[in-house]
Amino acid sequence: MSDVLIASSETAVTLVPITEAGVAGLPPFLRGLAEQEGFKAKAGQVLKASDPGHGRLEQVFVGLGEQPKADIFRAVAAKLAAGDYQLSEVPAGVDPTQLAIAWGLGTYRFDRYKPAKDGPANLVLPPGADAELATAVVHACALARDMVNTPANDMGPLQIETIASEIAEHFGADIAVVAGDDLHDANYPAVHAVGRAAAAHRAPRMIEIGWGRAGDPLVAIVGKGVVFDTGGLDIKPSSGMRLMKKDMGGAAHALALARMVMAARLPVRLAVLIPAVENAISGDAMRPGDVIASRKGLSIEIGNTDAEGRLILADALARAAELDPVLTIDMATLTGAARVALGPQVIPFFTDDDALAADLAAAAEAVGDPLWRLPLWAGYAESVDSDIADLKNDPDAWAQAGSVTAALFLQRFAPKAGWVHLDIFAWNPKARPGWPAGGEAQAVRALFQLLQARYR
Ligand code: BES
Ligand code: MN
Ligand code: ZN
């Protein structure tokens, strides 16, 4: 992607932040223009003021609303034409690095198959902004969005492996991949069971990246990499299948978060664990009623082949537990129920670690990356009990809370301490300026903020 955060420019148009209360204080000419254009300095509103002499765009007033927030600059960046822009000042109370990140996120476009009509709006980095950090966050989020937007025919298990390898190589990390029938010998039976129905060139695989210096605390990052979710033999209706190219969102988010950590050289060790599979349909597909093995040794009855994400995560989380990390983060487009509970913009997270929950909520607030805690409600745990196996993947209907029962299933496999699960959506269903419809990076900026606060 191009670098929209630039060090300097000879031609930059000035951006003048202004509060709602500030409009009345503008000189008469500009006040008249504001009135004519309906500019009230609402959050993210822009007013383009040209020089009356030569008509060239001279300054752009940027509405801050009542309470300035970095987020506003996502919308602003998306509304401005190609060119360079420079702030007259950083609004009080806004962190310049977060402002720069918001700008970068706002200029994102998915242009893999169709070029954008014009170039992006560039921002001269405001004083005090950490250019390297902001650029790293923007690039990582763009990577996640590109991966999610790329359809399954161009984003199979092998493509995820290739991207993981490129990242590993770039940051001097180790990478190990176990694919196809080798998953049996390596003891990833659930990953194999979910992915074995796919075509040979789209064989299931377990990707593991290791990074960092011996002695630093180990953080495990796990991401659901279902490159396409047909539902399996319990096939999804067409409406439910339409967006399932995004079911590798957890994997994309895991790589994005890892990329941020490595770019910032945080003093942690990373274990990035990505099961990459296609939940396909063939004669070899797992069947409703099958009982499969898992890495941890627990047997799982397949009540529904469409509850595949928790199966591959079971093996990945069991692997994480073997490494004894201080913190384990998993991200997954795991349930439709998470959306029924919170909608597309707010991401539920689950943990039994109250300190971790508090830190994560604070981090989410600080960087404007909305998260909301939901409970690992023990009373629903028996909804995943099976009559013939240790547990089943389709919870009893009486428990209702599908995002909670999915998390409770994962809990049986996850490390006992310092585990947090995020049921992400990875998608904007409705475009707003700065939030184009399509792939979205969610929760990773909050998680990165948490890691920086804890380990920097
Ligand atoms: N990938 C889906 C969850 C999903 C659906 C995420 C729609 C975002 C939008 C997951 O694999 C799935 O199908 N979950 C089922 C579980 C059920 C069969 C127990 C669900 O949520 O309906
Ligand atoms: Mn599914
Ligand atoms: Zn799925």
Side-chain angles (χ1 to χ4, degrees):
M1 75 166 279
S2 67
D3 272 311
V4 297
L5 302 175
I6 57 178
S8 63
S9 169
E10 299 284 295
T11 58
V13 172
T14 305
L15 297 176
V16 184
I18 181 167
T19 60
E20 285 180 31
V23 179
L26 287 172
F29 164 72
L30 288 169
R31 224 183 317 134
L33 183 67
E35 195 152 323
Q36 192 184 318
E37 301 288 321
F39 178 79
K40 299 201 168 75
K42 298 262 179 245
Q45 237 189 335
V46 296
L47 177 68
K48 297 169 188 175
S50 302
D51 183 288
H54 47 66
R56 198 176 331 115
L57 181 61
E58 224 179 26
Q59 46 183 5
V60 176
F61 290 91
V62 173
L64 297 174
E66 286 166 16
Q67 175 84 46
K69 273 200 201 136
D71 246 12
I72 289 165
F73 290 86
R74 253 182 107 138
V76 171
K79 286 177 182 175
L80 296 175
D84 298 347
Y85 298 85
Q86 183 159 19
L87 282 159
S88 62
E89 58 174 346
V90 175
V94 174
D95 177 68
T97 304
Q98 291 303 324
L99 189 159
I101 291 170
W103 186 283
L105 298 176
T107 59
Y108 174 81
R109 287 180 275 202
F110 181 58
D111 55 7
R112 178 168 175 150
Y113 302 102
K114 188 167 76 170
K117 290 196 185 67
D118 60 353
N122 301 316
L123 179 70
V124 176
L125 279 150
D130 184 332
E132 208 187 331
L133 195 78
T135 305
V137 171
V138 170
H139 279 190
C141 290
L143 169 73
R145 292 161 94 177
D146 280 346
M147 288 178 74
V148 169
N149 281 324
T150 301
N153 60 316
D154 283 332
M155 189 55 61
L158 182 59
Q159 279 86 358
I160 292 183
E161 176 185 330
T162 303
I163 292 167
S165 297
E166 284 167 6
I167 292 172
E169 190 176 342
H170 188 259
F171 291 101
D174 298 323
I175 181 163
V177 180
V178 181
D181 289 341
D182 290 347
L183 288 165
H184 281 304
D185 291 338
N187 194 23
Y188 290 110
V191 178
H192 186 271
V194 174
R196 72 183 185 216
H201 66 285
R202 298 167 71 81
R205 62 206 64 212
M206 183 69 203
I207 303 162
E208 180 168 337
I209 295 175
W211 177 85
R213 230 174 320 163
D216 285 340
L218 178 67
V219 175
I221 305 175
V222 178
K224 171 181 172 181
V226 175
V227 298
F228 194 76
D229 184 6
T230 65
L233 292 174
D234 288 309
I235 191 168
K236 287 181 182 292
S238 33
S239 58
M241 204 189 297
R242 178 63 181 87
L243 280 182
M244 283 301 120
K245 69 173 182 181
K246 76 175 178 71
D247 213 19
M248 33 54 70
H253 280 59
L255 289 172
L257 178 59
R259 206 186 180 290
M260 291 178 198
V261 170
M262 294 190 283
R265 293 179 290 276
L266 286 190
V268 296
R269 283 183 300 131
L270 288 183
V272 186
L273 303 167
I274 296 179
V277 304
E278 176 157 13
N279 191 18
I281 299 171
S282 78
D284 196 26
M286 62 176 176
R287 291 159 287 261
D290 282 359
V291 175
I292 66 166
S294 71
R295 183 175 186 87
K296 200 177 171 184
L298 298 173
S299 57
I300 305 171
E301 185 184 9
I302 306 301
N304 190 318
T305 62
D306 198 10
E308 84 296 339
R310 66 198 71 189
L311 301 174
I312 62 172
L313 290 175
D315 277 1
L317 287 168
R319 170 65 182 155
E322 292 161 15
L323 301 171
D324 199 21
V326 293
L327 177 63
T328 301
I329 297 162
D330 85 69
M331 289 174 277
T333 50
L334 202 59
T335 70
R339 266 53 271 170
V340 177
L342 297 181
Q345 295 177 13
V346 184
I347 301 309
F349 71 92
F350 299 84
T351 180
D352 267 349
D353 182 333
D354 290 341
L356 178 57
D359 288 356
L360 187 52
E365 179 70 31
V367 298
D369 196 5
L371 303 180
W372 203 261
R373 189 183 188 184
L374 290 184
L376 287 158
W377 189 256
Y380 302 154
E382 60 183 284
S383 71
V384 293
D385 287 350
S386 161
D387 292 337
I388 63 167
D390 289 315
L391 65 173
K392 64 173 183 252
N393 75 337
D394 63 325
D396 292 330
W398 65 261
Q400 296 196 55
S403 185
V404 176
T405 51
L408 288 165
F409 180 97
L410 298 183
Q411 192 175 30
R412 299 281 291 270
F413 301 89
K416 287 289 155 270
W419 167 62
V420 59
H421 156 64
L422 298 105
D423 198 335
I424 62 172
F425 194 46
W427 196 259
N428 282 320
K430 180 182 178 296
R432 308 170 264 161
W435 282 261
E440 185 54 272
Q442 299 176 319
V444 279
R445 286 180 298 112
L447 288 162
F448 181 50
Q449 180 77 7
L450 169 89
L451 294 177
Q452 287 182 95
R454 284 199 163 188
Y455 302 111
R456 184 162 53 184

